[in-house]
Amino acid sequence: MSEIFGSDAFSPKEIAARVEEIGVTKARLPFLSMLMLSILAGAFIGLGALYFVIVKSDPTLGFAARQILGGAVFSLGLILVVVAGAELFTGNNLLAMAWADGKISTLDVLRNWAIVCCGNFIGAAGLALLVYLSRHAEMNNGAIGQEYLTIAAAKAAMPFWTAFFKGVMCNVLVCMAVWMAFAGRSVVDKVVAIIFPISAFVAAGFEHSVANMYFFPLAMLLQGDGASAGIITWAGFFSNMLPVIMGNIIGGSVLVGLVYHIIYRRSSAPK
């Protein structure tokens, strides 16, 4: 039927089976491979965040233009993860599907999330150091550096439950982007599937834990140079990360992974 209408995309039911199968593979990756791929993912998301800040720091653009265009360029991060290959904590929340079908254990899931989350931080913070040393933040007469500080200060001051629900909404859209990318067979298919959900979450101001692993370290480095936009501390970083990570897990694992498991996989599971 799909050939009649000129589409060779995988169906939603086929996507569910692919996500589950790939989840098993991800959960059983050797430690070093998992760690290195997660470091790459942290750096990739950081590159998307860097691209976003260039747009966001331009005062000549209106609010909507900055948010939507900034979100579109931020999509670079997930495009790199999906097309080039890497292990991203937020996307790996979809391991919940393989777990729900009994194909991987709770320990497998927690091991993957812990290693990948740590690796993502290494990659994102490492990129932040390289960006700082490159003096990138001095572009546009220092407006880019000031934007990093403004973003980090706002995130650090965010109330717990606001950050939590922003994390939930973010990862619903991130995991939907990953889900739809699995429908595609070509690079173009995957890129188009990713851009709209990712640009939507960024434009809406939702919270992505791995992007924040880039924003905070770079803001703290810039703050050390005497720039100011509020005091950015490790305490502020962790006060943001805890609710955002919790929200990301609920959004990705429960509202996407487990919902699709119930729809497409639960009825086909062996009794």
Side-chain angles (χ1 to χ4, degrees):
M1 180 67 71
S2 62
E3 292 179 359
I4 294 175
F5 294 101
S7 172
D8 63 351
F10 290 102
S11 70
K13 187 172 184 179
E14 289 172 323
I15 296 169
R18 296 188 72 209
V19 168
E20 189 174 288
E21 179 183 347
I22 291 169
V24 174
T25 301
K26 285 175 174 288
R28 294 176 181 167
L29 280 172
F31 171 80
L32 186 58
S33 297
M34 189 182 296
L35 179 64
M36 295 300 293
L37 286 167
S38 62
I39 290 172
L40 284 177
F44 290 162
I45 296 299
L47 289 171
L50 178 152
Y51 210 175
F52 162 75
V53 173
I54 293 173
V55 175
K56 184 73 172 171
S57 66
D58 188 346
T60 66
L61 296 174
F63 171 76
R66 282 193 294 173
Q67 294 298 106
I68 295 171
L69 181 57
V73 299
F74 182 90
S75 303
L76 169 68
L78 190 61
I79 290 168
L80 288 169
V81 168
V82 170
V83 177
E87 292 293 304
L88 181 65
F89 169 72
T90 48
N92 281 15
N93 288 166
L94 287 173
L95 265 64
M97 291 192 71
W99 171 83
D101 230 8
K103 295 187 175 179
I104 57 176
S105 68
T106 302
L107 184 61
D108 289 331
V109 174
L110 295 179
R111 171 183 175 271
N112 178 275
W113 287 355
I115 294 169
V116 170
C117 195
C118 290
N120 287 170
F121 176 74
I122 294 169
L127 177 70
L129 177 60
L130 292 176
V131 170
Y132 171 74
L133 294 174
S134 75
R135 304 180 75 171
H136 162 76
E138 296 177 8
M139 290 178 67
N140 197 14
N141 297 316
I144 287 180
Q146 286 299 318
E147 189 64 33
Y148 277 111
L149 291 163
T150 300
I151 290 170
K155 290 177 181 294
M158 193 176 294
F160 182 96
W161 288 110
T162 301
F164 172 80
F165 286 111
K166 283 178 179 282
V168 171
M169 290 302 302
C170 164
N171 216 26
V172 167
L173 287 165
V174 169
C175 286
M176 286 308 306
V178 173
W179 180 274
M180 292 193 299
F182 277 122
R185 297 176 185 269
S186 71
V187 171
V188 173
D189 293 342
K190 296 176 188 296
V191 169
V192 172
I194 287 168
I195 287 175
F196 286 98
I198 298 303
S199 62
F201 105 68
V202 176
F206 298 145
E207 291 287 302
H208 191 280
S209 55
V210 181
N212 291 358
M213 294 174 187
Y214 169 78
F215 284 125
F216 275 97
L218 184 51
M220 282 187 270
L221 288 168
L222 294 170
Q223 182 179 251
D225 285 344
S228 61
I231 299 173
I232 315 299
T233 65
W234 285 109
F237 170 70
F238 287 112
S239 71
N240 173 270
M241 290 301 295
L242 176 60
V244 171
I245 286 176
M246 290 170 57
N248 286 169
I249 290 172
I250 297 298
S253 295
V254 178
L255 299 185
V256 179
L258 292 183
V259 166
Y260 273 124
H261 167 75
I262 292 169
I263 295 169
Y264 291 116
R265 302 297 296 166
R266 185 170 178 270
S267 61
S268 64
K271 302 297 184 184

